[in-house]
Every structure is written in C-alpha cells, then in structure tokens.
Amino acid sequence: MTALGPNPDLLRIGNCSGFYGDRISAMREMLEGGELDVLTGDYLAELTMLILGRDKMKDADLGYAKTFVRQVEDCLGLALDKGVQIVANAGGLNPAGLATRLREIADKLGLDAKIAHVEGDDIAARAAELQLGTPLTANAYLGGWGIVECLNAGANVVVTGRVTDASVIVGPAAAHFGWSRTDYNQLAGAVVAGHVIECSTQATGGNYSFFKEIADLTRPGFPIAEIRRDGSSVITKHENTGGAVTVDTVEAQLMYEIQTARYAGPDVTTRLDTITLSSDGEDRVLISGVVGEAPPPQLKVSLNSLGGFRNEMEFILTGLDIEAKAELAQKQLESWLTVRPAEIDWTLARLDRPDADTEEQASALLRCVVRDTDPNKVGRTFSSVAVELALASYPGCSFTSLPGNGSPYGIFTAGYVDADKVPHIAALPDGRRVDVAQATDTRPLDAVDEPDLPEPLGTTTTRRVPLGTIALARSGDKGGNANIGVWVRTDEQWRWLVNTLTVEELQRLLPETAPLTVTRHVLPNLRAVNFVIEGLLGKGVAYQARFDPQAKGLAEWLRSRHIDIPEELLA
C-alpha cells in the first residue's frame, strides 16, 4: 500500500469536528495552523441521525451534514495545496449525495479533487427482514476498511455514512502503514487515538473537571494524533492554540461514553484496561501498550424511530410551602385536563434557598412533561389548560414560557445484526465500486473479570469534602444508558477510590440511580472506575427523559457530593 504522508513511520491526523454544530472555522484553523497529513471530522451522533432522517424526509437529496459542505467549499483548495486528505462521516444518511455535492463544488472552484465515499451502513429498507422492526433510520456501524480502499485509490476526500467514530482515524492509519485485518494491536492503538480526538476539543481541555488548571481555555485548539507504525500515538495540538493536552485531558476523553473494559468495534475489540498514558513533553501525551482482539461477529445498529409528540410547561414556585404549592398545581392540572396524554411526568427542582437575597434564589421550578402519539393530546389542550391555572392556583403562580403546541420526539435503540448481512461498499473516485469484506476472524464479546484490587488504606483521619476535591470524572450517554468514568492521580488515591467508590456507594451519592441497574468496570492502568447506569436516560437523548438528556453534567454532580476522604490524600 502506498503511504499517504511524507513520513512512512508517522501519520499526523487532526480532527476538526466533534459533532454536527461544532466550530465552523475549525477546518481552516487546522489546515492553516501547522502540518497535517489527514484531517478528519466526526459529525454523527444518535440524535444527529434522527435530525438527518427528518431532513431526508423533507428532501431526498439531503440527509448529510450541511455545515461540512460549507467547510469544504471554503477549504478544499487549501487542503489540496497542502496535500492534506479529508476523511469525515458527514455523509450521514446520504454519503453518495454528499459526494456528488462535493464534486459540484470542486468543479465550480476549478479544482481537480478526487472524491470517494463509503456506503452500505443504511439498512432501514431491510430492518424488518433483519428483525429490527420498522424504524425511521437503521444504520450499522461500519469499520475503516472501506476508507482504506478509497485512500489507496488516490482519494483526496472520503465521506462516509455511519462508521464508528474512530474509523475515520483507523482507516487512514491502516492505509498509511499497510496494516492487515489481523494486526489487532496496531488497529486497537489507532482506535484509542481515534476515540481521544474524535470529540474535538474535549481532548484539549473542553469539559475537563480541573479546568481551572488550564492557563488559557478561551478558545481551545483542536487535537492531533501522531500515529506510529506500531499503533502507539502521541496526542498533541497545533502550537499557539488555546487549551492544553495533558495526561488528564486525554484520560477525560478516554472515559467518555465507554462501557466495559472491552471496547467493541467492527474491525477490532480494544482492551481499554491495557492503555498506558504518559507525558511526552508540553502538550504531548503518549498512548502505548494497547492490546487488541478480534472483533465480535455482530455489528451494532443505530435505530431511530419517531416516538410521538411531547410538550412541557414549567411553573415557578416562590417562597414558602414549595412542596405544598407543587402538590396543588399537579392536582389541579391533572384534574382539569379533558383529554389525558399517555404520559405525564412531573419534576420538582428545588433551586430555592431559605431567606434568599433575590427572588430568583427564593424560587423552585416545577416541570410537567407530557407525551402521546396523538399530537392533539399534548398540544394546546395541555399547555393552555396549564396557563388557566394562573389566577386559580398557588400564590405567586407564573410560568417560564407561553403555551404552545407539542413537537415530535425520537426514540433511540441499539440493535445487532450479523456482520455478513451488512454490505460495505467503497465508491472510488473513478466510479468503480468495491465490495469490502466484513471481518471473518471474530471473537464473542465476553466480560472481563475484575482484576485483583489493591489493599485498602488503613485506618486514618478523614475529612468530609466533595469527591471532586481529588477525583476527576467524565460522563456521557449511550442510548438510554449513561456512563460515569472516575479517576485519580496517585497510587494512594487509587487504593482509596477503588475500594470506596463501589456501586452501592455511587447509588448512595446519586440517589436517582438507586432503583436502576448499575455496573462497575475497573481500569487499573488508568486509576479509573467506570460506571454504566442503565435506563437513566429513558429511551435516548431525543426522548428527553431528564433536563440533562445526554448526562453531560452527571459526573460533575457526582464530584460535588460529599464523602469522607483520608486527610493524607488531600495534601
């Protein structure tokens, strides 16, 4: 295979997008900021597929990330001049349509750009046949080998549909180094590098627990992975950009949206419990020692369906007797409704404090969310009735919004299908179409036994302080489940954390998780424990079961909870 970059033993991959809506100027910033071989972008998430599905329902020519089109129109000439290849999953539900649009842009700009795309992930038309129901969208997570075919055919730009987030990094690395399908350790190393940089500035200080340690977080730079032939990598960023790359900022992203110690993908299963992180200089972190295994025999499938319609009204409760006021409002509204929605959920957020200096600090919020398959049951027949309480309910009754109609909401579920039932097609720049074989060397995704734990600390004097005094954490969503990864910096802190922060202790600290199934996974190399909380997010982000539907703040809530920590660990 032909090497893509000037150095056969190193590939510099930068990322310029972590989601559909990320910094629009990032592609130009990355191309102008320093040397790169490949520039990637991740535009897809569970909610994004639903958004793109609705776009495509309105216009069959859409279904891709429109912001990516704007970025390429601005930067294609610059990328070609610098010899930087662009690989992105911005094709969403219509990678072929996006490739056609990009060719039109290249022609308009007078540029000789070789455009390729990867497809086959969209299996919505076959969902019922594959026992996946009748969703709006159904996309299997493909791997990086279709990208390899496109790059080896000389593509300057490769766009894909639903590949795994890390595949846009794994594909260029596998092509550059000529890795085989069974070079599992190298592929796993690239997966880890890809997982770190695919969420853009979350690797350079964004959403980082100890953010006050970073000198300049005004405008963090985007991350770069310098991947080596053996699969190890250094995470860094362009010089003179904001943010920071440290062992902890990298670990923060490693903890994001993971589950067990086996991180499954279509090309390789990555053993997260083998990762070693070490400093390689200022704004440089070495990732090494990653072990890979054969992938599982099935591919994960992202399924999005229209669940129905939802609406909400939020009452402001001020001053005394907050709970009694909430009880009255709830009783009145439910008894006044002439048509009852299928679901009525009430949440009382006690943001008030006694003897408050401002009216806002003396107020709580009572939120009522309704859902139904019939939009009329959650429209003004609900919200207007809520407003009718204004002069007939608790003292000081008011609302945060005017009455309105309901809006559609989606439901995400994960499905699984045998890999050999999903096509994987590389549409090359010259028009040829190559069928890419799915993995045949596979291994069932078994659980990892919990490792031997270090001896707990002996009896010592403790102080009751927030867990976040010494612990960092990161949380995220996977469908209706949430994860919280928690880690510490020293071996002594680790001895305390792993023996103290059990499932039972987490459920005590976060009472909302108490009735749910919670599992803990131990990652000693990273001094980390990861908790998976099943069902906390209902039926996925679009269902909006919580005011924090993607569990972004869940880790910070945990860090704010008070716990007895040994004095010696607080020094």
Side-chain angles (χ1 to χ4, degrees):
M1 296 185 184
T2 303
L4 302 178
N7 186 338
D9 296 314
L10 186 75
L11 188 69
R12 288 174 57 86
I13 303 179
N15 176 277
C16 68
S17 177
F19 67 102
Y20 189 15
D22 211 341
R23 192 187 308 169
I24 194 74
S25 62
M27 183 177 287
R28 177 165 288 277
E29 290 175 21
M30 289 298 285
L31 289 170
E32 292 180 340
E35 294 303 311
L36 293 175
D37 301 310
V38 180
L39 184 59
T40 65
D42 176 21
Y43 293 80
L44 303 184
E46 294 162 359
L47 179 61
T48 313
M49 300 304 283
L50 179 63
I51 293 169
L52 295 179
R54 293 174 62 185
D55 282 352
K56 197 172 182 184
M57 288 175 66
K58 298 173 185 174
D59 184 343
D61 292 332
L62 295 178
Y64 51 77
K66 291 173 281 190
T67 53
F68 177 75
V69 175
R70 291 166 53 196
Q71 290 174 306
V72 171
E73 188 166 17
D74 175 51
C75 298
L76 182 58
L78 177 60
L80 293 173
D81 289 344
K82 294 177 73 79
V84 177
Q85 290 163 307
I86 297 173
V87 181
N89 61 13
L93 298 175
N94 190 7
L98 176 56
T100 298
R101 182 75 185 95
L102 297 181
R103 291 188 189 98
E104 293 170 353
I105 288 172
D107 290 343
K108 183 181 76 171
L109 296 174
L111 299 172
D112 181 18
K114 296 179 175 61
I115 313 292
H117 75 272
V118 176
E119 61 183 44
D121 61 291
D122 191 343
I123 55 175
R126 299 168 50 220
E129 166 198 336
L130 296 170
Q131 311 301 312
L132 298 171
T134 55
L136 172 65
T137 68
N139 296 81
Y141 287 79
L142 300 179
W145 293 103
I147 296 170
V148 171
E149 293 286 348
C150 293
L151 293 174
N152 286 339
N156 306 114
V157 180
V158 182
V159 292
T160 75
R162 180 69 277 190
V163 297
T164 67
D165 296 344
S167 290
V168 296
I169 289 90
V170 174
H176 183 75
F177 297 117
W179 293 335
S180 76
R181 297 287 293 256
T182 56
D183 283 333
Y184 292 131
N185 291 347
Q186 292 93 322
L187 293 169
V191 166
V192 173
H195 179 57
V196 171
I197 72 170
E198 54 96 358
C199 273
S200 70
T201 52
Q202 283 196 164
T204 59
N207 288 343
Y208 172 56
S209 292
F210 285 180
F211 67 97
K212 291 187 289 184
E213 293 181 349
I214 299 177
D216 178 15
L217 199 54
T218 307
R219 191 176 178 86
F222 279 66
I224 298 165
E226 297 178 351
I227 302 180
R228 301 169 178 175
R229 183 171 294 277
D230 66 357
S232 63
S233 63
V234 169
I235 306 301
T236 185
K237 63 185 184 70
H238 284 320
E239 292 184 6
N240 303 315
T241 57
V245 178
T246 70
V247 168
D248 283 318
T249 68
V250 170
E251 183 159 350
Q253 178 55 26
L254 281 177
M255 290 293 104
Y256 185 57
E257 295 181 342
I258 63 170
Q259 298 191 48
T260 74
R262 281 194 164 99
Y263 189 73
D267 300 323
V268 62
T269 293
T270 302
R271 288 293 298 263
L272 300 180
D273 54 349
T274 64
I275 299 169
T276 297
L277 302 179
S278 57
S279 176
D280 191 55
E282 185 177 1
D283 289 322
R284 295 178 62 83
V285 172
L286 172 65
I287 301 174
S288 60
V290 185
V291 172
E293 301 169 341
Q298 290 191 312
L299 300 181
K300 182 179 177 180
V301 183
S302 170
L303 302 167
N304 282 286
S305 305
L306 291 177
F309 299 83
R310 73 181 297 280
N311 203 349
E312 69 177 66
M313 288 295 292
E314 194 169 62
F315 298 78
I316 301 173
L317 316 173
T318 304
L320 304 176
D321 304 318
I322 294 295
E323 293 187 5
K325 290 172 180 175
E327 182 181 355
L328 175 59
Q330 179 175 343
K331 179 181 178 180
Q332 286 180 309
L333 178 57
E334 294 199 25
S335 66
W336 288 22
L337 289 173
T338 56
V339 178
R340 186 178 180 87
E343 297 179 36
I344 304 179
D345 294 329
W346 292 90
T347 305
L348 176 60
R350 292 300 302 266
L351 308 177
D352 56 301
R353 64 186 69 175
D355 196 21
D357 293 331
T358 68
E359 182 179 350
E360 189 171 15
Q361 291 176 346
S363 299
L365 296 175
L366 176 66
R367 183 180 301 110
C368 181
V369 177
V370 293
R371 299 182 186 87
D372 202 289
T373 55
D374 183 350
N376 295 318
K377 291 185 178 180
V378 298
R380 288 181 179 269
T381 55
F382 157 72
S383 58
S384 292
V385 169
V387 173
E388 288 175 4
L389 269 63
L391 304 183
S393 190
Y394 60 87
C397 180
S398 63
F399 309 89
T400 60
S401 63
L402 297 173
N405 294 319
S407 58
Y409 70 89
I411 293 175
F412 170 87
T413 55
Y416 295 88
V417 64
D418 290 344
D420 60 7
K421 297 215 170 50
V422 179
H424 189 171
I425 301 165
L428 307 183
D430 62 6
R432 290 181 296 132
R433 294 171 63 82
V434 176
D435 289 325
V436 180
Q438 302 285 8
T440 55
D441 177 29
T442 62
R443 170 180 174 161
L445 196 64
D446 298 324
V448 175
D449 293 335
E450 184 169 285
D452 293 334
L453 302 183
E455 287 294 319
L457 294 176
T459 304
T460 182
T461 303
T462 62
R463 186 164 15 127
R464 196 163 189 82
V465 294
L467 174 63
T469 306
I470 64 169
L472 301 93
R474 171 67 62 79
S475 56
D477 64 301
K478 280 291 182 186
N481 300 342
N483 93 291
I484 311 176
V486 186
W487 70 100
V488 287
R489 287 174 160 173
T490 72
D491 290 340
E492 290 301 288
Q493 290 174 346
W494 169 240
R495 287 176 60 194
W496 172 81
L497 180 76
V498 74
N499 287 291
T500 302
L501 195 57
T502 60
V503 168
E504 294 73 22
E505 181 65 3
L506 178 95
Q507 291 179 312
R508 185 190 71 80
L509 293 169
L510 305 184
E512 292 178 24
T513 69
L516 304 174
T517 298
V518 179
T519 54
R520 186 179 85 152
H521 306 280
V522 178
L523 303 171
N525 279 18
L526 301 173
R527 300 192 191 97
V529 288
N530 183 58
F531 296 92
V532 178
I533 305 162
E534 297 181 25
L536 182 70
L537 306 179
K539 299 177 183 178
V541 55
Y543 184 74
Q544 293 187 317
R546 297 168 55 85
F547 81 102
D548 177 19
Q550 292 179 285
K552 298 293 189 184
L554 192 62
E556 290 302 298
W557 177 29
L558 176 62
R559 292 183 64 245
S560 74
R561 296 290 282 160
H562 288 223
I563 189 171
D564 293 325
I565 298 179
E567 289 272 9
E568 64 199 75
L569 304 182
L570 298 172

